[in-house]
Amino acid sequence: MLTEHEIKRQDREIKLYGIENQEKLKSAKVAVVGLGGLGCPVAYYLAGAGVGTLLLIDYEKPELSNLDRQILHWEEDVGKNSKVNSAKWKLERFNPTIKVEVFEGKLSEENVAEVLEGVDVVVDCLDNFHTRYVVDKYCQKAKIPLVHGGIKGLYGEVTTIIPEKTQNLEELFSGLNEAKMEKTPIFGPLAGIIGTIEAAEVVKIITHCGECLTNKLLIVDLTTDSFETIDLK
């Protein structure tokens, strides 16, 4: 049940999709894999939405060149705090009604099942397809929805993977498995746009409020401010 404080805090959302759906959000556990340009706005807006438990997963520390887009990390965190603990500290103060758990490390085939146990939705905020496929394979096996987002330069994409209802990530991207590119150019505001869309997909999955990007790929091109949705069926 929601407390009086939570009802007041989530008033606008409750007016939109009702108190029962807000209670579903409070009961949910969502894993945010990667606390960089995408993961920061995803985690921030899921905390704002009242998702009861966030599991933050990353192994890096913030760098100065991250700060133009990684909004949960500040100059005082550079070279000191891990990204997960930097984000945890701020999210707990932003919304003290939620629980924030962390896993500081890399996901692998050996640990992914243990780390993601009990999660209702996984959000892909990663920057390499190798780890994405590890996460996707587990989500397929455990039948957990996976929201994928990707950014590079001025281009971004979002899709929602539902096991047994959509293609998996590796099928969609035809076996791409490139190594992580260092210093990939990224337009900061694009990370915010794609990240908030990913967060919206998570809320829609949990509440069934609105239509998700299942069997669809949303492509954002900020060179022309165009949004195009491709039917993947």
Side-chain angles (χ1 to χ4, degrees):
M1 296 292 292
L2 299 174
T3 65
E4 183 178 349
H5 176 84
E6 289 168 327
I7 291 172
K8 288 181 178 179
R9 183 182 176 100
Q10 309 302 149
D11 176 68
R12 298 300 182 96
E13 287 86 359
I14 290 172
K15 282 181 168 62
L16 177 64
Y17 43 63
I19 197 165
E20 289 184 1
N21 280 324
Q22 190 61 48
E23 289 172 344
K24 290 179 183 178
L25 289 170
K26 181 179 179 178
S27 300
K29 181 176 182 178
V30 177
V32 181
V33 188
L35 265 294
L38 292 176
C40 284
V42 167
Y44 195 85
Y45 274 94
L46 292 180
V51 172
T53 305
L54 295 178
L55 170 61
L56 311 180
I57 301 170
D58 205 308
Y59 65 93
E60 295 182 326
K61 291 183 177 180
E63 299 177 1
L64 189 60
S65 62
N66 299 154
L67 304 186
D68 65 320
R69 63 199 178 279
Q70 299 185 16
I71 58 174
L72 285 174
H73 310 311
W74 303 341
E75 290 216 4
E76 65 196 60
D77 300 307
V78 173
K80 298 177 183 177
N81 294 320
S82 63
K83 287 186 176 181
V84 289
N85 286 320
S86 164
K88 173 182 170 68
W89 187 88
K90 300 173 182 76
L91 293 170
E92 287 177 336
R93 282 149 184 82
F94 170 55
N95 187 352
T97 70
I98 69 170
K99 181 179 180 181
V100 182
E101 301 175 356
V102 301
F103 175 76
E104 187 175 346
K106 291 184 179 182
L107 288 182
S108 65
E109 292 184 357
E110 290 72 30
N111 68 15
V112 65
E114 180 181 357
V115 175
L116 296 181
E117 184 179 2
V119 165
D120 298 298
V121 184
V122 177
V123 194
D124 164 20
C125 302
L126 291 157
D127 57 6
N128 71 90
F129 274 92
H130 174 75
T131 310
R132 282 184 171 123
Y133 292 153
V134 170
V135 173
D136 180 51
K137 184 178 180 180
Y138 172 75
C139 287
Q140 292 292 319
K141 182 179 180 180
K143 295 181 173 54
I144 299 172
L146 172 67
V147 178
H148 160 75
I151 52 175
K152 183 177 181 180
L154 289 152
Y155 301 91
E157 64 194 26
V158 184
T159 189
T160 292
I161 310 294
I162 306 293
E164 300 180 349
K165 293 185 179 180
T166 68
Q167 298 177 75
N168 64 36
L169 209 55
E170 191 163 10
E171 289 171 333
L172 289 177
F173 292 100
S174 302
L176 285 174
N177 198 16
E178 84 282 5
K180 175 183 175 182
M181 293 178 61
E182 297 296 333
K183 306 300 181 184
T184 301
I186 296 172
F187 185 49
L190 175 68
I193 292 169
I194 298 299
T196 51
I197 292 173
E198 285 191 277
E201 287 293 288
V202 173
V203 173
K204 288 191 287 184
I205 290 169
I206 296 169
T207 64
H208 302 287
C209 177
E211 188 175 325
C212 294
L213 287 165
T214 50
N215 289 311
K216 297 176 183 177
L217 180 67
L218 173 65
I219 297 178
V220 178
D221 175 5
L222 288 190
T223 61
T224 57
D225 287 336
S226 67
F227 288 68
E228 179 181 6
T229 302
I230 297 174
D231 189 340
L232 298 175
K233 292 180 180 180

Short mmCIF file of all heavy atoms in Angstrom, two decimals, residues 176-204:
data_model
loop_
_atom_site.label_atom_id
_atom_site.label_comp_id
_atom_site.label_asym_id
_atom_site.label_seq_id
_atom_site.Cartn_x
_atom_site.Cartn_y
_atom_site.Cartn_z
N LEU A 176 25.78 -8.53 -34.32
CA LEU A 176 26.78 -7.50 -34.05
C LEU A 176 27.45 -7.79 -32.72
O LEU A 176 26.80 -8.08 -31.73
CB LEU A 176 26.13 -6.11 -33.99
CG LEU A 176 25.71 -5.48 -35.31
CD1 LEU A 176 24.97 -4.18 -35.05
CD2 LEU A 176 26.92 -5.21 -36.18
N ASN A 177 28.77 -7.71 -32.69
CA ASN A 177 29.49 -8.01 -31.46
C ASN A 177 30.79 -7.22 -31.40
O ASN A 177 31.84 -7.72 -31.06
CB ASN A 177 29.80 -9.50 -31.38
CG ASN A 177 30.14 -9.93 -29.96
OD1 ASN A 177 29.88 -9.21 -29.00
ND2 ASN A 177 30.74 -11.10 -29.83
N GLU A 178 30.70 -5.94 -31.75
CA GLU A 178 31.90 -5.12 -31.76
C GLU A 178 32.38 -4.82 -30.36
O GLU A 178 31.60 -4.81 -29.41
CB GLU A 178 31.66 -3.81 -32.53
CG GLU A 178 31.03 -2.67 -31.73
CD GLU A 178 29.54 -2.82 -31.52
OE1 GLU A 178 28.99 -3.85 -31.90
OE2 GLU A 178 28.94 -1.89 -30.98
N ALA A 179 33.66 -4.57 -30.23
CA ALA A 179 34.21 -4.20 -28.93
C ALA A 179 33.78 -2.78 -28.58
O ALA A 179 33.41 -1.99 -29.45
CB ALA A 179 35.74 -4.28 -28.99
N LYS A 180 33.85 -2.48 -27.29
CA LYS A 180 33.53 -1.13 -26.84
C LYS A 180 34.46 -0.12 -27.49
O LYS A 180 35.67 -0.30 -27.51
CB LYS A 180 33.66 -1.05 -25.31
CG LYS A 180 33.45 0.35 -24.76
CD LYS A 180 33.66 0.39 -23.27
CE LYS A 180 33.56 1.81 -22.73
NZ LYS A 180 33.81 1.85 -21.27
N MET A 181 33.90 0.95 -28.04
CA MET A 181 34.70 2.00 -28.65
C MET A 181 35.00 3.07 -27.60
O MET A 181 34.11 3.58 -26.94
CB MET A 181 33.95 2.64 -29.83
CG MET A 181 33.75 1.73 -31.00
SD MET A 181 32.81 2.53 -32.32
CE MET A 181 33.90 3.90 -32.72
N GLU A 182 36.26 3.39 -27.44
CA GLU A 182 36.63 4.43 -26.49
C GLU A 182 36.32 5.80 -27.08
O GLU A 182 36.53 6.05 -28.26
CB GLU A 182 38.12 4.32 -26.15
CG GLU A 182 38.50 3.02 -25.47
CD GLU A 182 37.85 2.85 -24.10
OE1 GLU A 182 37.55 3.87 -23.47
OE2 GLU A 182 37.65 1.70 -23.69
N LYS A 183 35.83 6.68 -26.22
CA LYS A 183 35.58 8.07 -26.59
C LYS A 183 34.64 8.20 -27.79
O LYS A 183 34.87 8.99 -28.68
CB LYS A 183 36.90 8.80 -26.86
CG LYS A 183 37.91 8.71 -25.73
CD LYS A 183 37.40 9.29 -24.43
CE LYS A 183 38.43 9.21 -23.32
NZ LYS A 183 37.95 9.69 -22.02
N THR A 184 33.60 7.38 -27.82
CA THR A 184 32.60 7.49 -28.88
C THR A 184 31.92 8.86 -28.78
O THR A 184 31.50 9.26 -27.70
CB THR A 184 31.53 6.39 -28.72
OG1 THR A 184 32.17 5.13 -28.79
CG2 THR A 184 30.48 6.49 -29.82
N PRO A 185 31.82 9.60 -29.90
CA PRO A 185 31.16 10.90 -29.83
C PRO A 185 29.68 10.76 -29.51
O PRO A 185 28.99 9.92 -30.10
CB PRO A 185 31.37 11.48 -31.24
CG PRO A 185 31.60 10.30 -32.12
CD PRO A 185 32.30 9.29 -31.26
N ILE A 186 29.21 11.54 -28.56
CA ILE A 186 27.80 11.50 -28.15
C ILE A 186 27.33 12.91 -27.87
O ILE A 186 28.00 13.67 -27.18
CB ILE A 186 27.62 10.64 -26.88
CG1 ILE A 186 27.99 9.18 -27.15
CG2 ILE A 186 26.17 10.70 -26.38
CD1 ILE A 186 28.02 8.31 -25.90
N PHE A 187 26.17 13.25 -28.40
CA PHE A 187 25.52 14.53 -28.13
C PHE A 187 24.76 14.40 -26.82
O PHE A 187 23.83 13.60 -26.71
CB PHE A 187 24.58 14.87 -29.28
CG PHE A 187 23.94 16.23 -29.19
CD1 PHE A 187 24.69 17.37 -28.93
CD2 PHE A 187 22.57 16.38 -29.36
CE1 PHE A 187 24.09 18.62 -28.86
CE2 PHE A 187 21.97 17.62 -29.29
CZ PHE A 187 22.74 18.74 -29.04
N GLY A 188 25.15 15.16 -25.80
CA GLY A 188 24.61 15.00 -24.46
C GLY A 188 23.10 14.96 -24.37
O GLY A 188 22.53 14.05 -23.75
N PRO A 189 22.37 15.93 -24.97
CA PRO A 189 20.91 15.90 -24.86
C PRO A 189 20.28 14.64 -25.44
O PRO A 189 19.20 14.24 -25.00
CB PRO A 189 20.49 17.14 -25.67
CG PRO A 189 21.65 18.08 -25.54
CD PRO A 189 22.86 17.18 -25.57
N LEU A 190 20.95 14.00 -26.42
CA LEU A 190 20.40 12.76 -26.99
C LEU A 190 20.31 11.67 -25.92
O LEU A 190 19.34 10.92 -25.89
CB LEU A 190 21.28 12.29 -28.14
CG LEU A 190 20.88 10.94 -28.76
CD1 LEU A 190 19.55 11.05 -29.49
CD2 LEU A 190 21.97 10.44 -29.70
N ALA A 191 21.33 11.60 -25.04
CA ALA A 191 21.30 10.60 -23.98
C ALA A 191 20.08 10.80 -23.09
O ALA A 191 19.43 9.83 -22.67
CB ALA A 191 22.58 10.68 -23.15
N GLY A 192 19.74 12.06 -22.81
CA GLY A 192 18.55 12.34 -22.01
C GLY A 192 17.27 11.93 -22.70
O GLY A 192 16.36 11.37 -22.08
N ILE A 193 17.20 12.18 -24.00
CA ILE A 193 15.99 11.83 -24.77
C ILE A 193 15.78 10.32 -24.80
O ILE A 193 14.70 9.81 -24.48
CB ILE A 193 16.08 12.40 -26.19
CG1 ILE A 193 16.00 13.93 -26.16
CG2 ILE A 193 14.97 11.82 -27.09
CD1 ILE A 193 16.34 14.59 -27.48
N ILE A 194 16.82 9.59 -25.18
CA ILE A 194 16.70 8.13 -25.29
C ILE A 194 16.50 7.50 -23.92
O ILE A 194 15.67 6.59 -23.74
CB ILE A 194 17.94 7.53 -25.99
CG1 ILE A 194 18.07 8.08 -27.42
CG2 ILE A 194 17.86 6.00 -26.01
CD1 ILE A 194 16.90 7.76 -28.33
N GLY A 195 17.21 8.01 -22.92
CA GLY A 195 17.06 7.47 -21.56
C GLY A 195 15.67 7.64 -21.00
O GLY A 195 15.11 6.73 -20.39
N THR A 196 15.07 8.81 -21.21
CA THR A 196 13.72 9.03 -20.69
C THR A 196 12.69 8.19 -21.45
O THR A 196 11.70 7.75 -20.85
CB THR A 196 13.33 10.51 -20.74
OG1 THR A 196 13.57 11.03 -22.06
CG2 THR A 196 14.14 11.33 -19.74
N ILE A 197 12.93 7.94 -22.73
CA ILE A 197 12.02 7.05 -23.47
C ILE A 197 12.13 5.63 -22.92
O ILE A 197 11.12 4.93 -22.76
CB ILE A 197 12.32 7.09 -24.98
CG1 ILE A 197 11.97 8.46 -25.57
CG2 ILE A 197 11.52 6.00 -25.71
CD1 ILE A 197 12.39 8.65 -27.01
N GLU A 198 13.35 5.19 -22.62
CA GLU A 198 13.53 3.87 -22.01
C GLU A 198 12.78 3.78 -20.68
O GLU A 198 12.11 2.78 -20.39
CB GLU A 198 15.01 3.57 -21.79
CG GLU A 198 15.78 3.22 -23.04
CD GLU A 198 17.16 2.70 -22.69
OE1 GLU A 198 18.06 3.54 -22.47
OE2 GLU A 198 17.35 1.47 -22.63
N ALA A 199 12.91 4.82 -19.86
CA ALA A 199 12.20 4.83 -18.58
C ALA A 199 10.69 4.76 -18.78
O ALA A 199 9.99 4.06 -18.04
CB ALA A 199 12.58 6.09 -17.78
N ALA A 200 10.20 5.47 -19.78
CA ALA A 200 8.76 5.44 -20.07
C ALA A 200 8.32 4.04 -20.48
O ALA A 200 7.23 3.58 -20.10
CB ALA A 200 8.43 6.44 -21.18
N GLU A 201 9.16 3.34 -21.24
CA GLU A 201 8.83 1.97 -21.63
C GLU A 201 8.70 1.07 -20.40
O GLU A 201 7.79 0.23 -20.32
CB GLU A 201 9.90 1.41 -22.57
CG GLU A 201 9.88 1.98 -23.97
CD GLU A 201 8.63 1.58 -24.74
OE1 GLU A 201 8.52 0.41 -25.13
OE2 GLU A 201 7.77 2.46 -24.93
N VAL A 202 9.59 1.25 -19.44
CA VAL A 202 9.54 0.44 -18.22
C VAL A 202 8.22 0.68 -17.48
O VAL A 202 7.54 -0.26 -17.06
CB VAL A 202 10.73 0.76 -17.30
CG1 VAL A 202 10.56 0.05 -15.96
CG2 VAL A 202 12.04 0.37 -17.95
N VAL A 203 7.86 1.94 -17.33
CA VAL A 203 6.61 2.28 -16.63
C VAL A 203 5.41 1.68 -17.36
O VAL A 203 4.49 1.13 -16.74
CB VAL A 203 6.46 3.80 -16.48
CG1 VAL A 203 5.09 4.16 -15.92
CG2 VAL A 203 7.56 4.35 -15.57
N LYS A 204 5.42 1.73 -18.68
CA LYS A 204 4.31 1.18 -19.46
C LYS A 204 4.24 -0.35 -19.35
O LYS A 204 3.15 -0.93 -19.30
CB LYS A 204 4.42 1.62 -20.92
CG LYS A 204 4.10 3.09 -21.13
CD LYS A 204 3.97 3.44 -22.60
CE LYS A 204 5.29 3.47 -23.30
NZ LYS A 204 5.16 3.92 -24.72
#
